[in-house]
Amino acid sequence: MTEVVHKEFDKYLTIYFSKKRSCGCTSIDNVCDKCYQHLQNVKHYIECGIPLRYFDLDLEVLKDTGNIVNKQQYMLKMQLYNNIKNYIKNLDLNFAQGKGILICGDMGTGKTTALMNIAKEACNKNKNIQVVYMSELINDIFNGRSIIDNMSYFDGIFCENLEHVYVKKDSNYVDTVIDTLFSLSIKYNIPLFITTNLTVSQLKDRLTPHAFSLLHEICDIYSLEGIDVRKKSAL
């Protein structure tokens, strides 16, 4: 393991064994087969960039209605839950077809939770995936390093916070990057999984017409609404 992976893995072990486990495992030194397989998967999660807080956060949390204030928000959340569940059930076929997902909506409504469950299942099936934050992607390209240069190497790419690409960089530069990312997704048949706090209407205004058209070809698009669960839990 690299130093970064080792450090993150140690953090996870502390959390994992702090909870009483039904199997009786209490440390990495002597674990059952089930815990061993899970911890092997966790190493893969870390290598692929999945944030630690999502390792044990399963899809069922999307069924929590604590941040829902009306029927429309509930219907959107249940639609997403069912479609993500079906996507995971047919993950091999969906990846083979290059079928991606974009989730728009408010902060703290479950966008990343939904997509990280797909990412974890992809890891469990030994797919070569990577989670990238769009602001970092832009900076890496600007500094001569880019996941885009090696895009054909991956089975799927998870892009967090699409809106962040518009914060610091020249808009023409950003437009070129996004167009390239979407075009290569089609060229190499690699699914993109994208989260954004922007609405579909706002995306249409931000993206080039070409990129907006490509987006509809490469991704199924969902929206989420509701109260930010992070702020709600802090009240």
Side-chain angles (χ1 to χ4, degrees):
M1 288 189 288
T2 66
E3 183 178 346
V4 172
V5 172
H6 186 79
K7 183 178 179 180
E8 288 299 299
F9 189 61
D10 282 348
K11 286 181 185 177
Y12 181 76
L13 289 178
T14 300
I15 298 170
Y16 188 73
F17 290 116
S18 68
K19 303 171 185 176
K20 187 175 181 180
R21 316 208 68 80
S22 59
C23 57
C25 296
T26 58
S27 76
I28 188 66
D29 298 323
N30 186 19
V31 293
C32 66
D33 290 343
K34 183 177 180 180
C35 285
Y36 175 81
Q37 184 56 58
H38 176 69
L39 294 174
Q40 289 299 112
N41 290 340
V42 162
K43 289 179 184 177
H44 197 179
Y45 299 165
I46 297 170
E47 291 166 351
C48 293
I50 299 174
L52 186 149
R53 71 181 303 269
Y54 295 101
F55 289 178
D56 294 320
L57 202 59
D58 66 30
L59 195 60
E60 296 305 305
V61 302
L62 283 183
K63 297 175 76 173
D64 179 12
T65 58
N67 69 330
I68 299 299
V69 297
N70 59 50
K71 185 176 180 180
Q72 172 67 14
Q73 292 176 3
Y74 174 79
M75 295 299 292
L76 288 172
K77 202 167 189 180
M78 289 306 100
Q79 178 190 37
L80 180 65
Y81 169 83
N82 289 324
N83 285 321
I84 295 294
K85 197 168 184 178
N86 286 332
Y87 189 102
I88 290 172
K89 181 180 178 180
N90 299 291
L91 186 135
D92 287 333
L93 176 60
N94 286 322
F95 266 61
Q97 293 175 336
K99 183 179 180 182
I101 292 174
L102 178 139
I103 308 178
C104 301
D106 303 328
M107 293 182 291
T109 50
K111 302 186 300 294
T112 299
T113 296
L115 293 189
M116 289 306 102
N117 272 274
I118 295 177
K120 288 186 293 184
E121 182 62 18
C123 284
N124 295 346
K125 291 197 167 191
N126 295 315
K127 304 291 186 186
N128 186 16
I129 63 108
Q130 187 66 45
V131 177
V132 297
Y133 288 83
M134 292 303 291
S135 57
E136 294 177 0
L137 175 69
I138 293 293
N139 287 332
D140 284 347
I141 294 172
F142 193 72
N143 292 315
R145 306 181 306 271
S146 173
I147 195 173
I148 290 179
D149 293 335
N150 301 300
M151 196 157 165
S152 62
Y153 175 71
F154 296 96
D155 297 313
I157 296 177
F158 292 73
C159 305
E160 282 285 294
N161 303 321
L162 179 63
E163 69 280 0
H164 287 179
V165 300
Y166 296 99
V167 175
K168 295 181 179 180
K169 300 298 180 183
D170 176 80
S171 60
N172 291 331
Y173 168 77
V174 168
D175 288 343
T176 300
V177 171
I178 298 301
D179 277 35
T180 301
L181 178 65
F182 291 177
S183 296
L184 290 178
S185 169
I186 293 174
K187 178 179 179 179
Y188 296 120
N189 199 42
I190 297 169
L192 295 181
F193 303 88
I194 305 168
T195 67
T196 180
N197 296 333
L198 300 175
T199 65
V200 175
S201 176
Q202 289 170 329
L203 279 174
K204 185 176 182 180
D205 291 337
R206 295 287 185 91
L207 298 174
T208 66
H210 178 247
F212 190 68
S213 176
L214 291 179
L215 182 62
H216 284 75
E217 181 175 347
I218 62 181
C219 289
D220 289 336
I221 299 174
Y222 302 99
S223 296
L224 278 180
E225 300 173 359
I227 301 169
D228 185 340
V229 292
R230 301 184 190 99
K231 291 181 180 178
K232 186 175 185 297
S233 63
L235 297 177

